[in-house]
Amino acid sequence: MEVGAVAGMRYVKNGIKAARLVMLYTQHTMLVGDQASAFAISMGLPGPSNLSSTESMEKWIKWKENQCQPNFRKNVVPENSCGPYYRKKDVNVGEKTCLVEDVAEHIRMKSSYVDFHNHDTISMAIFDKSGHIAVGTSTNGASFKIPGRVGDGPIAGSSAYGDDEVGACGATGDGDIMMRFLPCYQVVESMRLGMEPRVAAKDAISRIAKKYPNFVGAIFAVDKNGTHAGACYGWTFQYSVRSPSMDDVEVITVYP
Protein backbone atom coordinates (compact mmCIF):
# COMPACT_ATOMS: atom_id res chain seq x y z
CA MET A 1 0.00 0.00 0.00
CA GLU A 2 2.93 2.35 -0.65
CA VAL A 3 2.17 4.57 -3.63
CA GLY A 4 3.92 7.42 -5.42
CA ALA A 5 2.77 9.18 -8.56
CA VAL A 6 3.42 12.25 -10.70
CA ALA A 7 1.19 13.75 -13.37
CA GLY A 8 1.35 16.59 -15.86
CA MET A 9 5.11 16.69 -15.29
CA ARG A 10 7.37 18.45 -17.80
CA TYR A 11 11.11 19.09 -18.11
CA VAL A 12 12.07 15.80 -16.40
CA LYS A 13 12.63 12.75 -18.58
CA ASN A 14 12.20 9.86 -16.16
CA GLY A 15 8.67 10.02 -14.79
CA ILE A 16 8.74 6.60 -13.12
CA LYS A 17 11.81 7.56 -11.07
CA ALA A 18 10.07 10.76 -10.04
CA ALA A 19 7.04 8.77 -8.92
CA ARG A 20 9.26 6.50 -6.85
CA LEU A 21 10.84 9.54 -5.18
CA VAL A 22 7.36 10.72 -4.17
CA MET A 23 6.72 7.30 -2.63
CA LEU A 24 10.04 7.11 -0.78
CA TYR A 25 10.56 10.67 0.38
CA THR A 26 7.12 12.19 0.94
CA GLN A 27 3.95 11.36 2.82
CA HIS A 28 1.92 12.26 -0.28
CA THR A 29 0.59 9.99 -3.01
CA MET A 30 0.72 12.29 -6.06
CA LEU A 31 2.47 15.49 -7.14
CA VAL A 32 1.47 17.29 -10.34
CA GLY A 33 2.62 19.83 -12.89
CA ASP A 34 5.69 22.04 -12.63
CA GLN A 35 5.86 21.52 -8.88
CA ALA A 36 6.29 17.79 -9.48
CA SER A 37 9.14 18.63 -11.85
CA ALA A 38 10.72 20.93 -9.27
CA PHE A 39 10.47 18.22 -6.63
CA ALA A 40 12.05 15.60 -8.87
CA ILE A 41 14.94 17.91 -9.76
CA SER A 42 15.45 18.86 -6.12
CA MET A 43 15.74 15.14 -5.30
CA GLY A 44 18.50 14.61 -7.85
CA LEU A 45 16.90 13.84 -11.20
CA PRO A 46 18.38 15.66 -14.23
CA GLY A 47 16.55 18.76 -15.40
CA PRO A 48 15.04 21.02 -16.40
CA SER A 49 15.39 19.56 -19.88
CA ASN A 50 13.76 20.16 -23.25
CA LEU A 51 12.00 16.85 -23.94
CA SER A 52 10.82 17.72 -27.45
CA SER A 53 12.30 15.67 -30.29
CA THR A 54 12.50 16.36 -34.01
CA GLU A 55 9.84 13.69 -34.52
CA SER A 56 7.46 15.11 -31.93
CA MET A 57 7.84 18.66 -33.26
CA GLU A 58 7.14 17.53 -36.82
CA LYS A 59 4.08 15.64 -35.60
CA TRP A 60 2.83 18.72 -33.75
CA ILE A 61 3.39 21.02 -36.74
CA LYS A 62 1.44 18.68 -39.06
CA TRP A 63 -1.35 18.56 -36.50
CA LYS A 64 -1.53 22.36 -36.36
CA GLU A 65 -1.58 22.52 -40.17
CA ASN A 66 -4.54 20.11 -40.06
CA GLN A 67 -6.56 22.60 -37.98
CA CYS A 68 -5.61 20.77 -34.76
CA GLN A 69 -7.55 17.66 -35.79
CA PRO A 70 -8.07 15.17 -34.26
CA ASN A 71 -8.41 16.45 -30.71
CA PHE A 72 -10.28 15.64 -27.55
CA ARG A 73 -12.74 18.54 -27.53
CA LYS A 74 -16.48 17.96 -27.44
CA ASN A 75 -19.53 20.20 -27.28
CA VAL A 76 -17.47 23.20 -28.42
CA VAL A 77 -17.39 25.58 -31.36
CA PRO A 78 -15.64 25.89 -33.71
CA GLU A 79 -15.34 22.14 -34.22
CA ASN A 80 -12.64 22.14 -36.89
CA SER A 81 -10.03 24.67 -35.91
CA CYS A 82 -7.34 25.37 -33.32
CA GLY A 83 -9.66 27.55 -31.26
CA PRO A 84 -10.13 29.52 -29.17
CA TYR A 85 -13.01 27.24 -28.23
CA TYR A 86 -16.39 28.16 -26.78
CA ARG A 87 -19.15 26.05 -25.34
CA LYS A 88 -22.00 25.10 -27.62
CA LYS A 89 -25.27 26.69 -26.69
CA ASP A 90 -26.90 24.78 -23.87
CA VAL A 91 -30.16 22.98 -24.65
CA ASN A 92 -32.81 23.33 -21.94
CA VAL A 93 -35.11 20.38 -21.29
CA GLY A 94 -37.66 21.25 -18.62
CA GLU A 95 -35.64 22.24 -15.57
CA LYS A 96 -32.59 20.34 -16.71
CA THR A 97 -29.76 21.49 -18.93
CA CYS A 98 -27.98 19.13 -21.27
CA LEU A 99 -25.66 19.22 -24.26
CA VAL A 100 -26.52 17.47 -27.49
CA GLU A 101 -23.90 14.86 -28.22
CA ASP A 102 -23.57 11.54 -29.99
CA VAL A 103 -21.84 9.72 -27.15
CA ALA A 104 -21.20 6.53 -29.10
CA GLU A 105 -19.60 8.44 -31.97
CA HIS A 106 -17.49 10.48 -29.57
CA ILE A 107 -16.09 7.37 -27.88
CA ARG A 108 -15.49 5.73 -31.26
CA MET A 109 -13.53 8.72 -32.52
CA LYS A 110 -11.53 9.12 -29.33
CA SER A 111 -10.65 5.45 -29.08
CA SER A 112 -9.44 5.54 -32.68
CA TYR A 113 -6.48 7.60 -31.40
CA VAL A 114 -5.28 4.53 -29.48
CA ASP A 115 -3.47 1.90 -31.52
CA PHE A 116 -0.18 0.08 -31.89
CA HIS A 117 1.47 3.02 -33.64
CA ASN A 118 0.67 5.86 -31.25
CA HIS A 119 0.61 4.22 -27.84
CA ASP A 120 3.60 4.15 -25.51
CA THR A 121 2.35 2.99 -22.11
CA ILE A 122 4.64 0.66 -20.20
CA SER A 123 3.14 -1.14 -17.22
CA MET A 124 5.18 -3.64 -15.20
CA ALA A 125 4.83 -5.97 -12.23
CA ILE A 126 7.90 -7.26 -10.40
CA PHE A 127 8.07 -10.06 -7.81
CA ASP A 128 11.16 -10.27 -5.61
CA LYS A 129 12.57 -13.40 -3.93
CA SER A 130 10.60 -12.68 -0.77
CA GLY A 131 7.30 -12.49 -2.62
CA HIS A 132 6.95 -8.73 -2.39
CA ILE A 133 5.28 -7.11 -5.40
CA ALA A 134 5.98 -3.76 -7.03
CA VAL A 135 4.07 -2.32 -9.96
CA GLY A 136 4.63 0.76 -12.08
CA THR A 137 3.27 2.53 -15.14
CA SER A 138 4.81 5.24 -17.30
CA THR A 139 3.40 7.00 -20.35
CA ASN A 140 3.55 10.18 -22.42
CA GLY A 141 -0.23 10.18 -22.43
CA ALA A 142 -2.59 10.49 -25.37
CA SER A 143 -1.36 12.24 -28.51
CA PHE A 144 -2.94 15.68 -29.01
CA LYS A 145 -4.38 15.71 -25.50
CA ILE A 146 -5.76 18.93 -24.04
CA PRO A 147 -3.07 20.63 -21.91
CA GLY A 148 -3.53 19.61 -18.29
CA ARG A 149 -5.01 16.22 -19.10
CA VAL A 150 -4.15 13.38 -16.73
CA GLY A 151 -4.89 9.84 -17.85
CA ASP A 152 -4.93 6.61 -15.91
CA GLY A 153 -1.14 6.20 -15.75
CA PRO A 154 -0.67 7.71 -12.28
CA ILE A 155 -4.00 6.55 -10.88
CA ALA A 156 -3.47 3.69 -8.42
CA GLY A 157 -5.81 0.83 -9.22
CA SER A 158 -6.36 1.90 -12.81
CA SER A 159 -3.12 1.43 -14.76
CA ALA A 160 -1.54 -0.85 -12.18
CA TYR A 161 -2.16 -2.43 -8.79
CA GLY A 162 -0.44 -5.00 -6.64
CA ASP A 163 -0.92 -6.80 -3.35
CA ASP A 164 1.65 -9.23 -1.91
CA GLU A 165 -1.15 -11.48 -0.66
CA VAL A 166 -2.84 -11.79 -4.05
CA GLY A 167 -0.94 -10.70 -7.17
CA ALA A 168 -0.73 -7.83 -9.60
CA CYS A 169 -2.22 -6.22 -12.69
CA GLY A 170 -1.17 -3.76 -15.38
CA ALA A 171 -3.32 -2.00 -17.97
CA THR A 172 -3.06 0.10 -21.09
CA GLY A 173 -5.45 1.62 -23.60
CA ASP A 174 -8.00 4.41 -23.56
CA GLY A 175 -7.10 5.74 -20.13
CA ASP A 176 -9.89 8.31 -19.97
CA ILE A 177 -12.37 5.46 -20.11
CA MET A 178 -10.45 2.81 -18.18
CA MET A 179 -9.76 5.00 -15.15
CA ARG A 180 -13.50 5.22 -14.51
CA PHE A 181 -13.48 1.52 -13.63
CA LEU A 182 -10.17 1.05 -11.73
CA PRO A 183 -9.72 -2.19 -13.71
CA CYS A 184 -6.49 -3.30 -12.05
CA TYR A 185 -7.94 -2.91 -8.58
CA GLN A 186 -10.89 -4.93 -9.84
CA VAL A 187 -8.60 -7.66 -11.16
CA VAL A 188 -6.65 -7.99 -7.91
CA GLU A 189 -9.82 -8.06 -5.82
CA SER A 190 -11.35 -10.66 -8.15
CA MET A 191 -8.28 -12.84 -7.73
CA ARG A 192 -8.52 -12.34 -3.97
CA LEU A 193 -11.99 -13.87 -4.18
CA GLY A 194 -10.65 -16.89 -6.03
CA MET A 195 -10.83 -15.99 -9.72
CA GLU A 196 -8.01 -17.24 -11.93
CA PRO A 197 -5.95 -14.46 -13.58
CA ARG A 198 -7.44 -15.27 -16.99
CA VAL A 199 -11.00 -14.97 -15.73
CA ALA A 200 -10.28 -11.89 -13.62
CA ALA A 201 -8.68 -10.04 -16.54
CA LYS A 202 -11.51 -10.93 -18.91
CA ASP A 203 -14.10 -9.90 -16.34
CA ALA A 204 -12.53 -6.47 -15.82
CA ILE A 205 -12.31 -5.79 -19.55
CA SER A 206 -15.88 -6.99 -20.06
CA ARG A 207 -17.17 -4.56 -17.44
CA ILE A 208 -15.72 -1.66 -19.43
CA ALA A 209 -16.83 -2.96 -22.82
CA LYS A 210 -20.39 -3.36 -21.56
CA LYS A 211 -20.60 0.38 -20.91
CA TYR A 212 -18.30 1.55 -23.71
CA PRO A 213 -18.44 -0.97 -26.58
CA ASN A 214 -16.06 1.07 -28.73
CA PHE A 215 -13.25 1.52 -26.26
CA VAL A 216 -9.74 0.08 -26.76
CA GLY A 217 -7.79 -1.46 -23.91
CA ALA A 218 -5.88 -4.38 -22.46
CA ILE A 219 -4.93 -5.92 -19.11
CA PHE A 220 -2.42 -8.43 -17.83
CA ALA A 221 -3.00 -10.25 -14.55
CA VAL A 222 -0.60 -12.36 -12.50
CA ASP A 223 -1.27 -14.10 -9.20
CA LYS A 224 1.21 -14.46 -6.35
CA ASN A 225 2.23 -17.90 -7.66
CA GLY A 226 3.24 -16.50 -11.04
CA THR A 227 0.26 -17.70 -13.05
CA HIS A 228 -0.44 -14.99 -15.62
CA ALA A 229 -2.91 -14.11 -18.35
CA GLY A 230 -4.13 -11.19 -20.42
CA ALA A 231 -7.36 -9.84 -21.86
CA CYS A 232 -7.97 -7.14 -24.42
CA TYR A 233 -10.71 -5.40 -26.36
CA GLY A 234 -10.48 -3.54 -29.65
CA TRP A 235 -6.92 -4.59 -30.52
CA THR A 236 -4.46 -7.47 -30.39
CA PHE A 237 -2.31 -7.08 -27.29
CA GLN A 238 1.11 -8.42 -26.33
CA TYR A 239 2.84 -8.64 -22.97
CA SER A 240 6.16 -10.18 -21.96
CA VAL A 241 7.21 -12.43 -19.09
CA ARG A 242 10.61 -13.31 -17.61
CA SER A 243 11.42 -15.49 -14.60
CA PRO A 244 14.73 -16.76 -13.18
CA SER A 245 14.10 -20.19 -14.69
CA MET A 246 13.70 -18.79 -18.21
CA ASP A 247 16.56 -18.29 -20.67
CA ASP A 248 14.87 -15.35 -22.37
CA VAL A 249 11.78 -13.17 -22.34
CA GLU A 250 8.58 -14.80 -23.57
CA VAL A 251 6.16 -12.61 -25.50
CA ILE A 252 2.50 -13.53 -25.08
CA THR A 253 -0.03 -12.50 -27.72
CA VAL A 254 -3.61 -11.93 -26.57
CA TYR A 255 -6.45 -11.69 -29.07
CA PRO A 256 -9.71 -9.76 -28.51
Side-chain angles (χ1 to χ4, degrees):
M1 303 309 293
E2 287 288 331
V3 181
V6 292
M9 190 178 70
R10 301 183 294 174
Y11 312 121
V12 176
K13 184 175 183 179
N14 200 316
I16 200 73
K17 283 187 176 180
R20 189 167 186 267
L21 291 172
V22 173
M23 181 180 72
L24 293 177
Y25 300 108
T26 81
Q27 296 184 38
H28 301 312
T29 294
M30 183 186 295
L31 299 180
V32 301
D34 290 347
Q35 295 302 319
S37 302
F39 169 80
I41 293 168
S42 75
M43 298 302 291
L45 293 189
S49 304
N50 180 0
L51 304 183
S52 297
S53 65
T54 300
E55 180 184 5
S56 67
M57 289 302 298
E58 289 177 351
K59 186 176 182 180
W60 179 76
I61 290 171
K62 289 180 180 179
W63 179 68
K64 295 282 283 188
E65 291 175 347
N66 192 40
Q67 304 301 313
C68 301
Q69 303 300 311
N71 62 39
F72 287 82
R73 305 279 180 172
K74 67 176 184 178
N75 295 322
V76 296
V77 291
E79 295 181 347
N80 299 305
S81 81
C82 291
Y85 300 99
Y86 303 94
R87 294 187 303 176
K88 281 185 178 179
K89 185 178 180 181
D90 294 345
V91 179
N92 293 308
V93 182
E95 297 181 354
K96 297 181 179 180
T97 299
C98 66
L99 291 169
V100 177
E101 177 193 5
D102 186 340
V103 176
E105 176 65 10
H106 170 65
I107 296 299
R108 185 191 70 78
M109 291 296 295
K110 187 160 71 66
S111 290
S112 69
Y113 308 160
V114 182
D115 63 27
F116 178 78
H117 299 288
N118 66 12
H119 211 60
D120 66 353
T121 301
I122 298 174
S123 187
M124 301 180 71
I126 308 294
F127 291 54
D128 71 11
K129 292 181 180 180
S130 301
H132 297 307
I133 299 173
V135 297
T137 301
S138 181
T139 179
N140 277 325
S143 298
F144 315 127
K145 57 184 173 288
I146 298 170
R149 180 260 188 184
V150 175
D152 69 329
I155 307 302
S158 185
S159 66
Y161 198 74
D163 188 318
D164 291 354
E165 298 177 354
V166 183
C169 168
T172 183
D174 189 343
D176 289 294
I177 298 300
M178 298 182 78
M179 67 194 298
R180 303 173 189 185
F181 294 82
L182 295 181
C184 278
Y185 177 79
Q186 179 68 55
V187 164
V188 171
E189 291 307 301
S190 293
M191 291 193 298
R192 190 190 306 277
L193 296 175
M195 278 192 189
E196 298 177 359
R198 176 184 60 83
V199 179
K202 184 176 181 180
D203 173 70
I205 286 290
S206 297
R207 290 169 184 259
I208 305 172
K210 182 178 180 180
K211 298 288 186 180
Y212 296 97
N214 295 305
F215 103 102
V216 174
I219 284 174
F220 73 79
V222 53
D223 67 19
K224 64 181 180 180
N225 300 315
T227 302
H228 58 83
C232 59
Y233 190 88
W235 63 357
T236 298
F237 170 64
Q238 290 183 317
Y239 69 94
S240 60
V241 180
R242 180 71 184 269
S243 70
S245 62
M246 299 169 63
D247 294 329
D248 200 357
V249 172
E250 180 182 3
V251 177
I252 311 295
T253 299
V254 182
Y255 296 97

